[in-house]
Amino acid sequence: MKHHLNNFVIVLMMLLAGTSLLAQEASSPQSARELRLAEFLKRNPESDADKDGKLTLDEFKVFQQRRRSNDAAQDRGEDRQRRRVDEQKGNRFAASHADVPYGTHEKQRFDIWLVPESTKPTPLVVFIHGGGFRGGDKSGISAGQIKKFLDAGVAFASINYRLSDSGPYPIMMHDAARCLQTIRHRAKEWHLDPKRIACFGGSAGAGISLWLAFHDDLADSTSDDPIARQSTRILAAGTMNGQSTYDMHTDREWFNVPDLPIHNALPSFYGIAGESDIEKDSVRKLMKDASPITHLSRDDQASVYMMFGRPNTKVTKSTSQGEWVHHVLLGLKLQEAMKPLGLECYVTAPGIPAENHPYGSLEEFLISKVQAAPTNR
């Protein structure tokens, strides 16, 4: 399962510290800019190209560009390696329909694999990739994983969505919702049961899955657009190293670290400059709305299964961002909130045994939920 976890969670929160420097270069006072450069240098001493102990804006830009290029090359290498492994195993196969558009942006595309020769409408599981809302792709799913669902009689889809370089929240969540509506609109054509759909993903894709599971239905019954009239609700959500909140105030409270540094993905996710903005009322409201746990209510029907790759360790100010943002506490807090509402939430991690449930894996959980759900729900 750890191998599959690595395949799922692509570009785990790529470091993008200091993004706000570029956005504010023209307007920020020189002293403030130099202070932020100095702080960045402390975290990334290798960014000082001439080793003079001072980071210039040009050095910062070159360092960030090189980092992005290296990350992109690594991602391409991982994709190629995954394809080679699949081909060697003989389980590489094409989607029934590839790069199906659900919008006009190049990222608004999805692939779907239909159950061959099905005699009745089939349930569907949708994979939503991770990458800190800044990277990742729908290709980050192995053919072996897809085959598990198809062999169980469950159709499978993998989707792309606009990233934070296209705009801030809520475009990512709304894209995933629109994609679901598009698939439901074509359910009869593709022999799908629109009432039996679940979503899962890693990191950012996990957060989007949870957001869809708890958020009020975005369907607009009065719309002239037949796609917009479709439901955005799902039966279950599966997560790998996922987040139940994107509110830094909540993170600091849960981890009991009042000065926990803001995650580098959040400024671009929210369209803010950085730490200096998170106390604003408008940003506080945005952070609450983006957090899946905010939308949890007693009338929710989705079950949740959350997997984490690390044990429940203590978080401090010096804990790496990649560790605390994928921490099992983010799952345990959601489980704690769902339990009194009578809602299922299973959390697994090293050192935390699964609590009396019949699911041996995330795939088994998702298959069970979409197969058991009554079609008249």
Side-chain angles (χ1 to χ4, degrees):
M1 181 54 70
K2 288 184 178 178
H3 170 71
H4 294 312
L5 186 61
N6 290 334
N7 281 338
F8 278 122
V9 185
I10 297 177
V11 194
L12 286 178
M13 295 302 189
M14 300 184 305
L15 293 175
L16 198 57
T19 301
S20 59
L21 288 168
L22 299 179
Q24 295 189 21
E25 177 182 354
S27 59
S28 297
Q30 184 72 16
S31 58
R33 186 162 64 245
E34 290 177 351
L35 178 60
R36 290 195 295 273
L37 285 168
E39 291 174 349
F40 182 84
L41 179 58
K42 289 180 182 178
R43 296 192 299 270
N44 303 274
E46 67 275 22
S47 62
D48 183 10
D50 58 11
K51 305 303 179 185
D52 66 350
K54 182 177 181 180
L55 182 66
T56 67
L57 191 59
D58 286 339
E59 285 177 321
F60 165 79
K61 291 178 180 178
V62 170
F63 178 76
Q64 289 294 75
Q65 182 60 47
R66 186 170 65 249
R67 173 184 281 171
R68 294 190 189 99
S69 297
N70 290 341
D71 286 341
Q74 180 179 350
D75 293 342
R76 290 193 296 270
E78 289 176 353
D79 286 343
R80 285 194 295 270
Q81 177 63 24
R82 184 171 53 251
R83 286 195 292 271
R84 283 195 295 270
V85 171
D86 283 338
E87 288 165 359
Q88 290 169 2
K89 292 181 178 180
N91 62 357
R92 189 76 186 169
F93 54 96
S96 303
H97 303 279
D99 285 324
V100 181
Y102 63 90
T104 58
H105 193 275
E106 63 179 357
K107 285 291 187 180
Q108 294 172 316
R109 301 288 187 274
F110 66 91
D111 301 332
I112 189 166
W113 290 259
L114 304 177
V115 179
E117 301 178 2
S118 174
T119 59
K120 59 182 181 180
T122 62
L124 172 72
V125 167
V126 179
F127 172 68
I128 306 176
H129 71 77
F133 302 106
R134 300 176 298 186
D137 186 81
K138 59 184 171 62
S139 64
I141 181 76
S142 73
Q145 292 291 317
I146 299 170
K147 190 173 184 297
K148 286 184 180 180
F149 290 100
L150 296 182
D151 287 348
V154 177
F156 189 89
S158 184
I159 79 172
N160 276 347
Y161 51 90
R162 285 173 295 172
L163 304 173
S164 56
D165 59 356
S166 296
Y169 171 85
I171 66 168
M172 307 82 173
M173 279 66 168
H174 284 182
D175 273 7
R178 178 71 179 186
C179 186
L180 273 179
Q181 291 175 310
T182 300
I183 293 174
R184 280 194 163 106
H185 180 65
R186 302 182 67 171
K188 185 175 182 180
E189 171 190 352
W190 288 336
H191 221 40
L192 302 172
D193 186 339
K195 296 181 179 179
R196 296 193 290 167
I197 297 179
C199 294
F200 78 111
S203 196
I208 295 175
S209 298
L210 291 174
W211 193 92
L212 291 170
F214 303 142
H215 197 279
D216 290 343
D217 201 329
L218 297 179
D220 182 359
S221 60
T222 65
S223 176
D224 293 333
D225 177 6
I227 294 177
R229 295 197 294 266
Q230 298 291 331
S231 174
T232 62
R233 297 290 262 172
I234 58 176
L235 291 174
T239 80
M240 298 164 292
N241 292 332
Q243 301 83 36
S244 56
T245 183
Y246 292 110
D247 186 338
M248 276 306 305
H249 303 287
T250 301
D251 286 322
R252 290 166 176 172
E253 177 186 344
W254 286 355
F255 291 121
N256 194 26
V257 184
D259 53 353
L260 186 69
I262 186 172
H263 195 282
N264 292 333
L266 292 183
S268 55
F269 178 61
Y270 288 119
I272 61 177
E275 177 71 32
S276 60
D277 282 343
I278 69 171
E279 297 300 334
K280 295 178 179 178
D281 289 342
S282 59
V283 177
R284 281 180 172 270
K285 183 177 180 180
L286 202 61
M287 285 185 166
K288 289 292 184 185
D289 192 68
S291 300
I293 198 169
T294 299
H295 302 283
L296 181 64
S297 61
R298 190 172 296 277
D299 63 350
D300 290 325
Q301 299 181 9
S303 299
V304 173
Y305 187 109
M306 303 186 75
M307 295 173 50
F308 294 90
R310 296 185 178 95
N312 190 6
T313 54
K314 180 176 176 57
V315 171
T316 68
K317 181 181 178 180
S318 61
T319 300
S320 70
Q321 293 186 340
E323 182 175 345
W324 70 254
V325 81
H326 301 118
H327 200 280
V328 64
L329 182 66
L330 302 177
L332 295 174
K333 285 293 187 179
L334 180 61
Q335 184 183 59
E336 180 183 309
M338 292 181 69
K339 186 175 181 179
L341 301 179
L343 301 174
E344 290 182 309
C345 181
Y346 305 111
V347 178
T348 65
I352 302 179
E355 296 182 2
N356 301 323
H357 65 79
Y359 313 109
S361 68
L362 174 59
E363 296 93 340
E364 290 180 23
F365 165 80
L366 293 167
I367 290 169
S368 174
K369 291 303 175 183
V370 295
Q371 285 182 336
T375 56
N376 62 350
R377 185 173 182 172

